Amino acid sequence: MVTSEAFDAALKESFEKEIREPGPSRFNWPSRAGHPCTRFLVWVRTRWGELQKHDAGLQSVFDEGHIQQREVIVRLEKMGFEIVEQQRPFEYAGYSGKIEGKIKSYRSERWTPPLPIEIKTCAPWVFDTLHTEEDIIKAKTHYMRGYQHQMNLYLLMDNVEHGAYIFKNKVSGWLKWIPATLDWALADSLVTRSKEIDGMVAEKIDPPPISYDDGICGRCGFLSNCYPPRDFGEGAELITDQTFLDTLARHQELKPLNAEYDSLDKFISKRVKGRALILAGEYIIEGKEGTRKGYTVPDSVTWTKTIRRVGNAQSPAAEE
C-alpha cells in the first residue's frame, strides 16, 4: 500500500521533472514587461545560469494555471464567443511570446481586428477585489500590476485600443470580464524599455539593483547574487510557491481584524443570548441551548448561535 509520504515524494518528483532549466534568450518576455527591476530583466538574459529554479510547488501552480486557461477558453466558446489565434507565437518590439487568444465575435457583435484577451486565475479574495482595470493598475503585487503592461503590448502590437482581461476564481470557477484600454504612454515606454534592455545586454552593462523590497527581491531567483541573504541556520527552508505566499500575505492582512471580530462577536452573543429566533435586518439569528460538560470547571449552560444571511438567496449560510 502506498503511504502518504511516498505519494508526496513521488508527486514532488514528477513536478520537478517538468521544471525547465533556464537558458539564453534573444528576446524579452511580455509577462515580465512590467517587472520593476531592470537588473533582473538584464540578468535573465546574461546570467541565466545563476537563476535559482523554482520549486515543485510553484511548478504545480504553473501547470494548474495552464489547465485552467484552456478550461476558460472552452467556457467562453460555450457562451458564444468566437476565439481565434489561440497560443499564436509573436515577436514584436524586442519581445517574444504567445498570445492566449483573440475574440473575433460574440453573438451579433464582431470585431475587426479581433480583441486580444489575457486569462488569469486567482484566489477568491483576490478575485473579489477586481472590478475594473484600475484595480489591476493599483494592485499590491507587482506581478498583478504587470498584467496591464502585458496587455498593452498586445494592444499596441495589433494597433487596437481595447481588449479584455478574464479572471477565473480558482475555487468557484466563476469568471470575470474586465475591459482593457490601450495606454499609449505606457505602451511607448515598454517599447523604449525593451530597447534599453537590449542595449545593456549587448554592451554587457550591469544595471544597479533596486532598493530592497521583500515582495520583489525576497522571491527573486537571483537573490543570493544580488542581495546576499541572511544565514538563518541549518534547517531553514525557502518557499517560493506563489499561492502560499499570497495566502500568507492575506493571513497577515486579516490578523489585525481578529481582535475586532472577537469584540463584536462577544457583543452580539451577549445581545442575543436566550432568544430562540431574532430577525435583524437581512439576517436571521437562531439560538439553542446546550450543555457543556464540566471538567476543571463546573457544568454550565451554553448558548450556540447560527447566523444566516437571507438578503441574497445565492449566498451560502454562514454558521458558527
Side-chain angles (χ1 to χ4, degrees), residues 42 62 67 115 134 149 160 197 279 287 302-303 307:
V42 171
F62 291 157
I67 293 172
L115 303 181
E134 191 68 16
H149 297 71
V160 294
I197 293 171
L279 306 180
T302 64
W303 189 266
I307 302 177

Side-chain angles (χ1 to χ4, degrees), residues 88-266:
R88 178 179 68 82
F90 70 87
E91 294 178 8
Y92 176 76
Y95 293 95
S96 176
K98 292 182 180 180
I99 189 166
E100 288 170 353
K102 299 178 183 179
I103 292 179
K104 186 175 182 179
S105 67
Y106 176 61
R107 296 182 179 178
S108 61
E109 193 168 4
R110 301 184 66 84
W111 292 277
T112 304
L115 303 181
I117 59 173
E118 182 62 24
I119 300 170
K120 301 294 184 182
T121 59
C122 57
W125 56 85
V126 177
F127 185 85
D128 291 342
T129 66
L130 300 174
H131 305 286
T132 67
E133 190 172 30
E134 191 68 16
D135 296 324
I136 299 172
I137 296 171
K138 294 182 178 180
K140 292 183 178 181
T141 57
H142 73 86
Y143 65 87
M144 284 197 65
R145 296 193 297 271
Y147 297 165
Q148 187 207 13
H149 297 71
Q150 187 175 358
M151 174 60 73
N152 266 258
L153 281 175
Y154 299 158
L155 297 175
L156 183 65
M157 177 175 63
D158 285 2
N159 194 30
V160 294
E161 293 192 350
H162 300 286
Y165 311 91
I166 302 174
F167 288 92
K168 182 174 184 178
N169 184 317
K170 289 182 179 180
V171 174
S172 69
W174 202 254
L175 304 182
K176 184 175 293 186
W177 170 287
I178 297 182
T181 302
L182 175 61
D183 182 330
W184 286 99
L186 174 61
D188 287 342
S189 72
L190 297 176
V191 174
T192 300
R193 191 184 196 196
S194 179
K195 293 178 180 177
E196 292 174 347
I197 293 171
D198 288 345
M200 293 178 185
V201 170
E203 298 177 23
K204 296 181 171 55
I205 296 175
D206 182 8
I210 61 174
S211 298
Y212 186 88
D213 183 323
D214 192 57
I216 302 169
C217 309
R219 59 188 70 178
C220 177
F222 290 114
L223 176 62
S224 60
N225 295 341
C226 186
Y227 286 106
R230 286 179 54 191
D231 181 6
F232 290 98
E234 185 177 356
E237 178 184 358
L238 174 65
I239 297 180
T240 59
D241 182 338
Q242 189 61 58
T243 298
F244 178 82
L245 296 175
D246 289 343
T247 303
L248 185 60
R250 181 60 175 165
H251 176 270
Q252 292 302 297
E253 288 178 1
L254 295 176
K255 188 176 180 180
L257 299 178
N258 187 57
E260 180 182 358
Y261 173 87
D262 287 343
S263 176
L264 296 176
D265 189 61
K266 290 178 181 178

Side-chain angles (χ1 to χ4, degrees), residues 35-46:
H35 198 287
C37 180
T38 300
R39 169 177 270 195
F40 170 80
L41 297 177
V42 171
W43 279 16
V44 291
R45 294 182 56 187
T46 61

Side-chain angles (χ1 to χ4, degrees), residues 25-75:
S25 175
R26 296 185 297 111
F27 299 97
N28 303 307
W29 290 11
S31 58
R32 293 171 173 167
H35 198 287
C37 180
T38 300
R39 169 177 270 195
F40 170 80
L41 297 177
V42 171
W43 279 16
V44 291
R45 294 182 56 187
T46 61
R47 300 173 63 171
W48 66 89
E50 302 171 19
L51 182 65
Q52 179 184 355
K53 294 190 297 184
H54 57 269
D55 59 16
L58 192 53
Q59 184 63 40
S60 174
V61 172
F62 291 157
D63 286 0
E64 186 64 22
H66 293 150
I67 293 172
Q68 294 301 326
Q69 287 171 359
R70 293 193 292 271
E71 291 297 320
V72 170
I73 292 292
V74 171
R75 177 56 56 188

